[in-house]
Amino acid sequence: MSSERLAGLLDEYAELEKRLADPAIHADQATARRVGRRYAELVPLHKAADELEQARADLAAARELAAEDPSFAAEADAIAGSLPVLEERLAELLIPRDPHDAKDVIVEIKAGEGGEESALFAGDLLRMYTRYAERHGWVTEVIDAQDSDLGGVKDVSLAIKTKGVPDGGNGVWSRLKWEGGVHRVQRVPVTESQGRIHTSAAGVLVLPEAEDVDVTIDQNDLRIDVFRSSGPGGQSVNTTDSAVRITHLPTGIVVSCQNEKSQLQNREQAMRILRARLLAAAQEQADAAASDARKAQVRTVDRSERIRTYNFPQNRITDHRIGYTAYNLDLALGGELDGVLDALTEADRAARLAGDTELTRR
């Protein structure tokens, strides 16, 4: 256990506590929220350190009493037996955590090459994440969407936010960061007349939503084009050029939004997505520079990596990274994702404790 790291984090906790007690900080809600999130991340560490310090003091007192009265020996032994558990808990909290865990996210879902069936499956994933968010009391907002002819989605961006400061610093990212990658579905499509099972896929990209302080964007680096929005099959849904396409020239990242009625609103939504993508790109570059092995689906998304299969005939969901299988696909698509997400979180925790930075793949 690093005593220097512990001391530094406890000093940071004390400083943040002072800042939050100052009424002046709440004049800037963005700063107050950012400081509050970091404070919430350190609360479990502060509590664990206090409990360990108190247990050690109690043990010293019990042993001193036991030297004079043997009846206190059993109490001393009980306290001594609790120390390893407390020490392990504190050591786990001292492992550097994902810096984005407290953040909200933007989930992008794109239909694959399976035509309408892939778009319908992308729509299923959109409903799955929306219902999961509802179960956790999170707020969802469709930033932009391109619907398909049969009611699916070709491409959709969904913002998911916590209400207030997340408990323990565990925001939406801490749960949904595992979802990035290729999701494969096996079922009989509604467009299949022979009853044959088809396989198609949709890509999911999960980005921590960036705040203004996370990413600096030079307006001179942007090319902004406007065009007329359209609906399924190219049908025009707007008679004015309100849709916006933003190109970030240094990186080549292109973001389009057409859901809102005004050009200004579409530009604001596109900038949200652009900031999130630039933050993810910066994180990827930092990881590469530090020669860190990256998790397959946490900081970036490799769309060639199949991470999960949804098999309808067997009502089976399989996560290929950790070999997780459950026969409750209907419940998972209804938003009950905690089973697979808990398994992924535990696999990551075990890997970090072992000093491995890459989630196990299978």
Side-chain angles (χ1 to χ4, degrees):
M1 185 185 303
S2 171
S3 57
E4 290 183 4
R5 174 170 169 76
L6 175 60
L9 291 173
L10 292 179
D11 285 345
E12 182 184 359
Y13 172 89
E15 178 60 29
L16 292 173
E17 193 171 42
K18 289 180 182 177
R19 290 186 67 185
L20 288 172
D22 183 354
I25 194 175
H26 299 287
D28 183 346
Q29 287 301 309
T31 299
R33 181 174 171 82
R34 188 169 63 254
V35 172
R37 281 178 170 178
R38 179 55 178 163
Y39 177 78
E41 288 179 9
L42 294 177
V43 166
L45 176 74
H46 179 265
K47 181 179 178 181
D50 270 359
E51 289 178 351
L52 180 57
E53 183 179 0
Q54 185 60 55
R56 286 172 172 168
D58 291 344
L59 177 59
R63 283 177 172 169
E64 185 177 337
L65 291 171
E68 301 176 1
D69 184 348
S71 65
F72 285 97
E75 181 180 348
D77 290 342
I79 296 172
S82 70
L83 289 183
V85 176
L86 296 173
E87 289 170 346
E88 181 179 354
R89 170 63 176 159
L90 184 57
E92 182 178 334
L93 290 169
L94 281 171
I95 297 174
R97 64 184 294 167
D98 188 323
H100 300 313
D101 271 352
K103 288 186 177 293
D104 299 323
V105 305
I106 293 176
V107 179
E108 298 184 3
I109 307 171
K110 296 181 182 294
E113 297 179 354
E116 280 296 337
E117 164 60 9
S118 180
L120 289 170
F121 178 52
D124 291 337
L125 294 177
L126 172 62
R127 284 186 290 274
M128 180 179 75
Y129 293 130
T130 301
R131 290 168 181 169
Y132 182 74
E134 290 171 353
R135 289 174 178 272
H136 286 263
W138 297 336
V139 178
T140 61
E141 173 194 2
V142 174
I143 298 176
D144 193 54
Q146 296 180 35
D147 298 329
S148 70
D149 292 329
L150 296 182
V153 291
K154 298 176 183 177
D155 193 342
V156 60
S157 297
L158 177 72
I160 306 179
K161 296 178 172 290
T162 57
K163 295 179 180 178
V165 176
D167 186 35
N170 296 312
V172 183
W173 173 261
S174 71
R175 295 299 286 170
L176 293 187
K177 61 185 175 182
W178 316 113
E179 294 304 289
V182 173
H183 295 240
R184 184 178 69 168
V185 63
Q186 296 172 326
R187 65 183 175 188
V188 178
V190 295
T191 55
E192 168 60 50
S193 60
Q194 303 297 321
R196 293 172 296 186
I197 296 174
H198 286 225
T199 297
S200 60
V204 176
L205 179 66
V206 184
L207 303 168
E209 180 151 14
E211 300 175 36
D212 291 336
V213 295
D214 296 324
V215 177
T216 301
I217 299 177
D218 187 339
Q219 295 299 312
N220 294 323
D221 289 338
L222 303 179
R223 185 178 73 235
I224 301 176
D225 302 305
V226 296
F227 57 98
R228 190 162 298 176
S229 15
S230 61
Q235 179 183 3
S236 176
V237 296
N238 200 323
T239 57
T240 61
D241 292 336
S242 61
V244 174
R245 181 186 299 110
I246 298 178
T247 303
H248 186 250
L249 299 175
T251 62
I253 294 175
V254 180
V255 178
S256 299
C257 277
Q258 62 176 13
N259 261 34
E260 304 297 339
K261 293 182 178 180
S262 79
Q263 188 181 120
L264 178 59
Q265 289 174 315
N266 280 321
R267 174 174 172 153
E268 290 175 349
Q269 299 289 48
M271 287 297 293
R272 287 176 64 186
I273 299 175
L274 178 61
R275 280 193 295 269
R277 289 190 184 178
L278 288 174
L279 178 62
Q283 184 66 61
E284 182 181 4
Q285 291 174 357
D287 292 344
S291 299
D292 288 340
R294 69 172 176 85
K295 295 184 177 71
Q297 76 294 16
V298 174
R299 291 180 178 150
T300 64
V301 171
D302 179 354
R303 291 192 181 275
S304 67
E305 181 78 18
R306 182 194 66 192
I307 64 166
R308 190 175 299 152
T309 295
Y310 304 75
N311 184 294
F312 276 69
Q314 298 179 19
N315 195 37
R316 171 172 53 84
I317 179 172
T318 300
D319 195 287
H320 304 288
R321 294 162 292 185
I322 57 173
Y324 173 93
T325 295
Y327 293 87
N328 61 349
L329 174 57
D330 52 340
L331 297 177
L333 289 174
E336 294 188 21
L337 283 174
D338 280 329
V340 62
L341 296 182
D342 285 344
L344 286 161
T345 300
E346 177 56 29
D348 176 69
R349 186 191 72 85
R352 287 188 297 111
L353 284 173
D356 186 4
T357 58
E358 184 168 354
L359 188 67
T360 303
R361 298 189 198 177
R362 294 194 181 183

